[in-house]
Amino acid sequence: MSDALESVIGQATELPWLWAGLAAYALATFIAVAGVIRTQGRAVGAMAVSRSHEKLVLMIVATGVVLIAIALAERWVRIGHGPFVNLFELLMSQLFSLGLVFTLVYWRMPVLRPSAVVALPLMGVLGGWVLALQPVDTPLPPTYHNDWLWAHVGLGKIFLSLSLVGTGLAGVILLRHTRFFAGWFRQMPADEVLDGLAWRFMLLAFIFHSLMLIAGAVWAQDAWGRYWAWDALETSSFLNWLLLGASIHARLTYRMPIRVGAMAIIAVFVFAFITYFGTPFYSEAAHKGVI
């Protein structure tokens, strides 16, 4: 049996799990939006009844996380290495980590649940993108045989997941001041409360981003004999770190208007999105070992 045929047969076992997981995310998004629309304008005393959809959203998102985890496991066993080499694998694994962290936050912090109508569609962008890619198999580069790589990748995924939660809250702050979306988030806390929660998540994201850069530098030293070389991905990631750090400093030091702070959080997430899913795959000076 040829390698190409084996690859096609192997993909047939993992892709249905991925598709099912993405379908679960899409269904959860629909239910979250429909539930928020249904609860607008209701009295606080009716919240226990009107928010019954939230348990369903939690169950469906958690199911999606499990289904994508099975797809990752199938692929991992088949190709013999972790899902972080090509863009298809990176998006696939990111959909798992984003879903996992968001599910935990959704479960443990009910007050934030309506922000799912912002966070889940952002995950849907990644889901649509991964469906448009060919699920090609890429050999593991020699520089990836390093324990520090696991720390670097794992810390980066936590950073982006925490940024997603903060961005969901920032999106609520901005949307609730528009005429169309004003009633959607009437039952959520005041802007000041959401702002404080969002920046707490971004501060955690900053910590994990810092640790990610440190772990990446140690990995680079072991892999290529240098800690830093200012290649495209390293530079973009460092600029992202500076942007997040400057935003946190401005938030803590000056009286930054709440909506300006929300836009800063979204800017950090957009920059991180470009850094993760654009720079290492489309720049002329790609990060060594990624392609």
Side-chain angles (χ1 to χ4, degrees), residues 6-48:
E6 288 182 355
S7 177
V8 170
I9 294 174
Q11 291 168 9
T13 65
E14 66 200 36
L15 291 181
W17 295 106
L18 173 62
W19 298 334
L22 295 179
Y25 283 178
L27 180 58
T29 303
F30 174 80
I31 295 174
V33 173
V36 168
I37 293 174
R38 189 180 63 182
T39 59
Q40 61 177 310
R42 297 197 179 187
V44 177
M47 292 299 290

